[in-house]
Amino acid sequence: MLQSVITGLLWFSAIGCGLIAGLYFAFSTFIMTALGRIGQVPGITAMNAINAVIVQSLFMPLFVGTTLASLLLAVAGLLRWGEPGAIAMLAGGVLYVIGMFVCTAVFNVPLNNALAAVEPASTEAAPLWARYLTDWTLWNHVRTISSTLACALFIWTIAVR
């Protein structure tokens, strides 16, 4: 029974990490560049709209669910240390929770909140937008890489079990 639960969590987490990684990859590779090119006011307006919509979409259950499942897999990896794939399961869970979830909470969300609090056409928005484009994207790269590696580690764990 426990083996089936772990297998289900591995599949859910692998798929969830892959979907999240794909979304973050899109932001890292072209969305942020495009927002930067359209100018300060439309860029800030568009990003604020994205940030408002994403928390009311199917993204949030996937975001939270994958984080919780990854945390459970990290614990399972610790408790099943000697079993095949346990180290990869632990590493994938820790990498996802810290590299994606904690990074989001500590870096990306505060930047989103600061952007939402500024008037897009104001003079104080210009340096904030410039910083946002570089800093938010840097931390998004971290989230992209963490999510992708966690996905690969969960897939590898499925394969060796």
Side-chain angles (χ1 to χ4, degrees), residues 75-101:
V75 171
L78 272 176
L79 296 176
R80 298 173 162 268
W81 188 255
E83 295 181 15
I87 295 171
M89 192 164 47
L90 170 64
V94 168
L95 187 60
Y96 189 78
V97 170
I98 293 173
M100 192 291 299
F101 183 79

Side-chain angles (χ1 to χ4, degrees), residues 12 51 66:
F12 176 80
N51 289 334
T66 303

